[in-house]
Amino acid sequence: MGIRSYSTSEANNIQLGQAGYDYVTNATVNSDTYVAITALDACTVTAVSSDTDVWDSLSTIEVPAGCTIYGRWSSVTIGSGDFAIVYRG
């Protein structure tokens, strides 16, 4: 599914994470598609891309506190002792 597969409304909803969020610490979430990750403290993040035409998977990266990263992932893992909000697409 490439970026041009979405209607304008769908694309806006996806980028804004309007399907809700999960508060995650030391866990993996994989029951939804996730479109943004906000680090509440410095976090270790691993994420599996659900749309490799546009976004790559993340292989254990450090995200500084307060930063938000965007993508489209089928699974997100937040490291031990780390806190993040993971937004559903």
Side-chain angles (χ1 to χ4, degrees):
M1 186 178 254
I3 196 165
R4 294 179 188 6
S5 300
Y6 302 109
S7 70
T8 301
S9 177
E10 289 171 325
N12 287 335
N13 288 340
I14 287 169
Q15 74 183 12
L16 298 174
Q18 292 182 358
Y21 67 91
D22 295 309
Y23 177 77
V24 184
T25 181
N26 191 32
T28 299
V29 289
N30 57 13
S31 59
D32 289 293
T33 298
Y34 304 94
V35 296
I37 303 164
T38 299
L40 299 179
D41 63 359
C43 287
T44 301
V45 175
T46 302
V48 177
S49 178
S50 63
D51 189 351
T52 55
D53 290 340
V54 180
W55 296 282
D56 292 330
S57 292
L58 305 176
S59 180
T60 313
I61 64 165
E62 291 292 325
V63 180
C67 287
T68 300
I69 56 175
Y70 298 92
R72 191 162 177 81
W73 304 286
S74 58
S75 172
V76 176
T77 302
I78 304 299
S80 178
D82 298 339
F83 301 93
I85 296 175
V86 181
Y87 295 90
R88 295 181 222 130

